[in-house]
Amino acid sequence: MKKLILSAALVALLCSSMTSCMGKFALTRNLYAWNDQVSNKFVNEIVFVALWILPVYEVCGIADLLVLNTIEFWSGDNPMTASTKIIDTDHGRYLVKCDRKGYDVILENTGESFRLDFAQDTNTWSFKANGKEYPLMTFVDDTHVSVPLPNGDWQTVELSQDGVLAYRTNAASVMLAYK
């Protein structure tokens, strides 16, 4: 009976590790990204080797393999990929929560919020607030985006200083025409 339980546990562990390989190994990647920005390349290498000796990388890799990637495989979300940043400005403090599809932005002192979403099927960023959604820009190719004008028309803009200046000029003239 003990052999049967041990065999079943081994098979379950093996199956969970096979499915978890489909994940992004976010914990290990975050550790590596942190290690890569510690200092210059020599200090980064010393920290890297130390983290291997202390088995920090090994523990992160096993946690990713057996737990976090399995959660990601079954739920579609890795607990390590969501993050919250605090941004202090002259207008107040903003909490920016990031997930794999976009950003929730909350003004801390008023509670006002909006959402920025990216739709991969259309390559479009949109702005959502008060139950309404407004498209902001659609990627046309690597060097051009399509952006709305104040009158509802769309303009293709080159992603360069000249392209942005042309868009600003066109948007300002359209706004003047409506006043």
Side-chain angles (χ1 to χ4, degrees):
M1 184 69 175
K2 222 177 195 184
K3 269 188 171 181
L4 181 63
I5 292 172
L6 184 60
S7 297
L10 186 59
V11 167
L13 182 63
L14 185 59
C15 287
S16 75
S17 70
M18 282 186 210
T19 60
S20 65
C21 289
M22 301 306 292
K24 294 188 176 37
F25 287 85
L27 179 62
T28 307
R29 288 176 189 254
N30 287 347
L31 177 62
Y32 180 77
W34 171 82
N35 184 173
D36 194 39
Q37 58 85 36
V38 169
S39 185
N40 64 43
K41 68 181 182 178
F42 301 107
V43 174
N44 291 352
E45 181 65 17
I46 291 168
V47 171
F48 179 76
V49 170
L51 292 177
W52 270 113
I53 292 170
L54 292 175
V56 175
Y57 271 100
E58 292 90 334
V59 169
C60 287
I62 289 171
D64 269 331
L65 181 72
L66 299 177
V67 179
L68 300 172
N69 288 355
T70 302
I71 292 170
E72 181 179 359
F73 177 80
W74 291 107
S75 72
D77 293 316
N78 187 309
M80 293 303 299
T81 57
S83 64
T84 301
K85 302 282 185 202
I86 298 172
I87 301 171
D88 289 312
T89 70
D90 294 340
H91 306 290
R93 174 178 276 192
Y94 291 88
L95 302 176
V96 181
K97 296 179 182 180
C98 176
D99 58 33
R100 295 184 332 177
K101 297 178 183 174
Y103 303 90
D104 288 303
V105 181
I106 303 162
L107 182 56
E108 192 176 63
N109 60 347
T110 65
E112 293 179 61
S113 67
F114 63 89
R115 171 121 181 119
L116 295 171
D117 270 322
F118 182 71
Q120 286 185 330
D121 56 336
T122 60
N123 283 334
T124 300
W125 277 100
S126 61
F127 170 83
K128 293 180 184 177
N130 303 322
K132 295 182 182 178
E133 182 175 352
Y134 307 95
L136 290 176
M137 79 171 131
T138 300
F139 289 93
V140 176
D141 56 34
D142 289 342
T143 58
H144 296 86
V145 293
S146 182
V147 290
L149 291 168
N151 67 356
D153 292 339
W154 285 74
Q155 177 181 350
T156 300
V157 176
E158 180 182 350
L159 295 174
S160 67
Q161 188 172 359
D162 291 337
V164 172
L165 181 60
Y167 173 67
R168 278 185 168 175
T169 303
N170 197 4
S173 67
V174 169
M175 285 182 67
L176 287 175
Y178 279 101
K179 286 190 175 188

